[in-house]
Amino acid sequence: MTRQKKRYWLISNHQAKHRVFDAYYCSLDNFDCSWSDDKLAIKFSLVQNYELFDSSILADTASSIKASRISLDLDTSQRRKRATFVSDTIETVTVTNCDAGFILHNGACVKCPAGYGQSNGVCVPCPIGYYSTEKNIAACTQCSNNFKTLSAGSTQADHCKDPLTLCSVPAAPTNVGLHPPTGALVDSGSMVDVYCAPGYALEEGIADQFSCSGNPISPICYRTCDISTYDADKVKGMYMSYSAFPSNKVMVHDQELDIPCWKGYESQYRLRSDYDVYRCVGNKDAEHTTISITACTKIPPNKLLILGLCLGALIVILVIMVIWCHFRGKAKVARDSREVKCRPIC
């Protein structure tokens, strides 16, 4: 500031500017200051010149300016001083004016990116059947011959395809997720991935993909049967083979679990051979997905004894019958031989 007959002027300098703005992005215009009623008023305009799409570079932040405590050099006729000014009142106004070829969006001047078009002053994705190849503020271009694009936001003209060669992804049943999602257009014969919600899985033997062609139908996800509580120690205490359990401890709908008992043990609910057979039913309520596995029990000694005696008796009977048949056959042969010798000769 220069003092002459009690009049003051503010002399701006390079240091002061750098504390206020970045000279690469913005320029300082319309700088003015005045002194009235013992108060210094400073006015200036900041103009953003680069990266107009970034609305965070220049913002209406009076509180930030006030908190910055900008320092300025003061130059008087007697000496040079540096002072820090803290304003009582700061007023800011942000006005954004966009050049031709830009639209105002969220306080910034932008062009719509490829795959987007301008509609009522807003950038929106090109709908199915339209595309946009570059940044612009024009509307999206419609495919010729009523061709369709596979999805919204297409960026190339060759994304337009004959609808007869496309397939629409079918509706997803409850607890099923599809990728591409329901309603998406894909090339006929393309594979659609199937995802089940937590606690659900596809039926035993059903693949997690299907081909989209004709009138496709998505597979169904069923409740899973959790058998994670049966660890190695617990199964060992139940006298069962732990290797029969699935590694992930989860059974899917219609899956059967065959659990053999240890040698010398038996199951009370034996359905097939020496196995306990458990089946996961996932297409009903949660109660049916709870599998309770019954421990094998030791075969009582009397059963083993009876079984052994019966087997031994059967063997003895078979041996006696073989011997009896053998001697009976020999006796018959001897009788036949004597009858031949005694027959009179005529």
Side-chain angles (χ1 to χ4, degrees):
M1 231 174 245
T2 302
R3 184 176 182 180
Q4 292 181 345
K5 296 181 181 181
K6 296 183 180 181
R7 296 181 64 186
Y8 298 86
W9 291 268
L10 181 66
I11 303 175
S12 66
N13 56 58
H14 189 67
Q15 179 185 6
K17 291 181 182 179
H18 270 296
R19 293 294 299 275
V20 179
F21 66 96
D22 188 330
Y24 173 77
Y25 293 104
C26 303
S27 61
L28 183 67
D29 294 338
N30 303 321
F31 190 87
D32 181 54
C33 64
S34 61
W35 183 272
S36 177
D37 298 328
D38 294 330
K39 290 185 177 181
L40 179 65
I42 302 175
K43 298 179 180 179
F44 58 88
S45 298
L46 289 176
V47 179
Q48 183 177 336
N49 300 312
Y50 298 99
E51 299 190 16
L52 302 181
F53 59 86
D54 189 349
S55 60
S56 65
I57 294 177
L58 181 59
D60 188 358
T61 55
S63 59
S64 299
I65 298 175
K66 185 173 183 178
S68 65
R69 299 177 65 86
I70 299 171
S71 64
L72 299 174
D73 288 340
L74 301 179
D75 190 359
T76 69
S77 58
Q78 297 178 350
R79 62 189 177 207
R80 185 178 183 87
K81 297 181 179 180
R82 171 175 290 187
T84 299
F85 290 88
V86 179
S87 175
D88 294 330
T89 303
I90 294 180
E91 296 180 357
T92 64
V93 177
T94 300
V95 178
T96 304
N97 296 314
C98 297
D99 294 335
F102 292 87
I103 62 173
L104 180 62
H105 179 69
N106 291 336
C109 296
V110 300
K111 288 185 177 182
C112 298
Y116 285 73
Q118 184 270 138
S119 176
N120 298 323
V122 180
C123 293
V124 295
C126 295
I128 291 178
Y130 292 78
Y131 65 93
S132 171
T133 60
E134 59 185 2
K135 292 182 178 180
N136 59 68
I137 61 171
C140 298
T141 303
Q142 185 175 9
C143 296
S144 58
N145 300 320
N146 292 322
F147 278 19
K148 301 291 184 181
T149 54
L150 296 181
S151 62
S154 293
T155 59
Q156 298 179 24
D158 58 8
H159 288 173
C160 299
K161 299 188 177 184
D162 187 344
L164 297 178
T165 66
L166 302 179
C167 174
S168 178
V169 177
T174 305
N175 300 309
V176 176
L178 301 178
H179 181 76
T182 296
L185 294 177
V186 297
D187 291 322
S188 183
S190 297
M191 301 303 294
V192 179
D193 297 321
V194 182
Y195 302 93
C196 295
Y200 291 79
L202 294 170
E203 183 178 355
E204 173 80 350
I206 300 299
D208 59 359
Q209 287 184 324
F210 66 92
S211 175
C212 188
S213 59
N215 296 310
I217 299 177
S218 169
I220 299 174
C221 292
Y222 298 100
R223 292 179 183 272
T224 57
C225 298
D226 184 13
I227 53 174
S228 60
T229 58
Y230 295 92
D231 56 21
D233 292 335
K234 185 173 181 178
V235 173
K236 181 179 179 181
M238 299 172 69
Y239 312 107
M240 292 179 167
S241 174
Y242 184 68
S243 61
F245 285 74
S247 59
N248 60 355
K249 298 299 183 65
V250 171
M251 295 174 61
V252 300
H253 175 60
D254 220 23
Q255 179 182 2
E256 289 187 348
L257 180 63
D258 299 342
I259 310 176
C261 297
W262 287 6
K263 186 177 181 180
Y265 290 80
E266 65 179 357
S267 169
Q268 297 178 3
Y269 305 98
R270 184 167 46 197
L271 299 179
R272 188 165 66 225
S273 184
D274 291 328
Y275 288 79
D276 241 354
V277 181
Y278 297 90
R279 179 172 174 266
C280 177
V281 180
N283 61 347
K284 296 184 179 180
D285 53 35
E287 180 181 354
H288 289 81
T289 63
T290 302
I291 293 182
S292 180
I293 298 177
T294 304
C296 297
T297 56
K298 191 172 182 63
I299 299 176
N302 58 338
K303 287 187 176 181
L304 291 175
L305 179 59
I306 293 173
L307 181 62
L309 292 175
C310 291
L311 183 60
L314 180 62
I315 293 175
V316 170
I317 292 173
L318 290 174
V319 170
I320 292 174
M321 291 182 65
V322 169
I323 294 173
W324 180 76
C325 290
H326 174 72
F327 282 104
R328 184 182 179 187
K330 291 182 67 176
K332 183 178 180 182
V333 170
R335 286 197 306 269
D336 292 344
S337 178
R338 287 196 300 269
E339 291 177 357
V340 171
K341 291 179 179 181
C342 296
R343 183 177 301 170
I345 300 176
C346 299

